Amino acid sequence: MNRLAKRIVAAAAAVVSLVAMTGCGSSSEETSGPKITIGIKFDQPGVGYKQGNEYTGFDVDVARYVAKKLGYSEKQIIWKEAPSAQREALLQNGDVDFIAASYSITEDRKKVVDFAGPYFYAGQDLLVRSDDTSIKSAKDLNGKNLCTVSGSTSAQVVKDNFAKSVQIMELSGYAECVTALISGTVDAVTTDDIILAGLASAKGGGVLKVLGQPFTKETYGIGVKKGSTQLIKQINDALAEMVSDGSWQKALDAETSGTDYSPNKEWNPPTKFDAEDSDETVRTDTASAK
Ligand code: GLU
């Protein structure tokens, strides 16, 4: 091979290796060492949110803290979207190691997955257009169009309680519901207050408001595959530490700053991390919304 041919071969080899380095997988997959895959929401600003390669929100802060206590650095985390309707399947199939995605602990879910926590208490509320004075509480939803997300407890609550008088539109994500609300396709969006507050401030462009009258108690847990006794214990220890060393409050304040949201002080922060044996999954009476 003459010198030119050698140089061409060398250049081609360099291109091939460059493509191999950058062409496959995300940056997190290139880092050596063990990985942990964590399910979060991608469309809930302040709770679980993806923007470019940045992952933010209170759930993400909690997940990061827990992962660190389990021995994983940020670079060892693979973030995976966990839409409401897919959470149980993601855990059952082993697609994620744990889920921190505004995931309420319920008796039904406990039949198929286990929970660590709780790490937060929210309440189901309503998001409406700021100039709409006709909806002051859930009672005013009669004859209105209401958006809710498939697979959420919020969707179940509206089906059980408002179904006769309210036109329910079920969509796959929260971003879609907000778009429908702004465009006038629906009159209200319902889910947990902390999620609605984040959506109103980051996506509402000043035209949306949260009613501020929560009508359920949502007990957020970290979902794990059924039978993960050891992992649950480790996660619970991490959560207890996150509350006691002040990181929990710091994260919550930072992630909700700039919104009008103030978490329920009677319920928060959690003091017992006993999701596994607690029966505290009961929803509050939604009769007022009927
Ligand atoms: N916390 C409720 C649930 O687990 C509503 C929020 C969500 O869809 O993640 O279903």
Side-chain angles (χ1 to χ4, degrees), residues 60-269:
V60 179
D61 296 334
V62 169
R64 260 193 201 111
Y65 190 100
V66 168
K68 196 168 176 200
K69 291 286 162 195
L70 294 176
Y72 296 91
S73 70
E74 174 78 33
K75 285 186 173 159
Q76 290 171 290
I77 300 173
I78 297 170
W79 301 105
K80 194 170 173 67
E81 185 170 22
S84 297
Q86 291 173 32
R87 291 174 292 200
E88 289 79 38
L90 285 168
L91 288 170
Q92 287 173 310
N93 297 339
D95 293 334
V96 292
D97 294 295
F98 69 78
I99 285 182
S102 58
Y103 202 8
S104 298
I105 303 166
T106 68
E107 287 307 324
D108 274 352
R109 290 172 180 166
K110 271 170 120 180
K111 287 177 194 150
V112 287
V113 299
D114 282 345
F115 286 96
Y119 66 91
F120 188 69
Y121 292 97
Q124 185 174 349
D125 208 326
L126 293 170
L127 181 69
V128 297
R129 288 181 295 274
S130 311
D131 62 358
D132 184 345
T133 49
S134 67
I135 306 173
K136 294 194 182 64
S137 77
K139 274 183 275 182
D140 302 323
L141 286 172
N142 268 335
K144 304 274 187 188
N145 296 313
L146 175 65
C147 193
T148 175
V149 169
S150 308
S152 65
T153 52
S154 333
Q156 199 53 50
V157 166
V158 297
K159 279 186 217 157
D160 293 347
N161 296 280
F162 315 153
K164 285 183 206 89
S165 51
V166 180
Q167 187 67 38
I168 298 164
M169 183 177 205
E170 206 174 293
L171 298 177
S172 60
Y174 290 93
E176 289 89 333
C177 273
V178 169
T179 305
L181 179 59
I182 292 173
S183 71
T185 310
V186 296
D187 305 297
V189 175
T190 186
T191 188
D192 307 338
D193 44 13
I194 188 171
I195 302 170
L196 297 177
L199 288 169
S201 102
K203 300 281 168 195
V207 301
L208 303 180
K209 64 176 180 200
V210 184
L211 286 193
Q213 294 177 35
F215 46 84
T216 69
K217 183 179 188 178
E218 303 299 319
T219 306
Y220 284 11
I222 306 257
V224 296
K225 195 174 195 160
K226 218 164 188 21
S228 314
T229 318
Q230 185 59 28
L231 181 59
I232 289 172
K233 202 194 161 316
Q234 288 174 311
I235 296 175
N236 284 341
D237 288 348
L239 293 174
E241 210 174 320
M242 188 176 183
V243 171
S244 68
D245 74 7
S247 310
W248 183 94
Q249 192 63 56
K250 224 169 126 186
L252 188 61
D253 290 347
E255 299 294 0
T256 57
S257 84
T259 72
D260 289 337
Y261 183 64
S262 51
N264 184 306
K265 297 246 165 31
E266 213 182 292
W267 300 337
N268 289 295

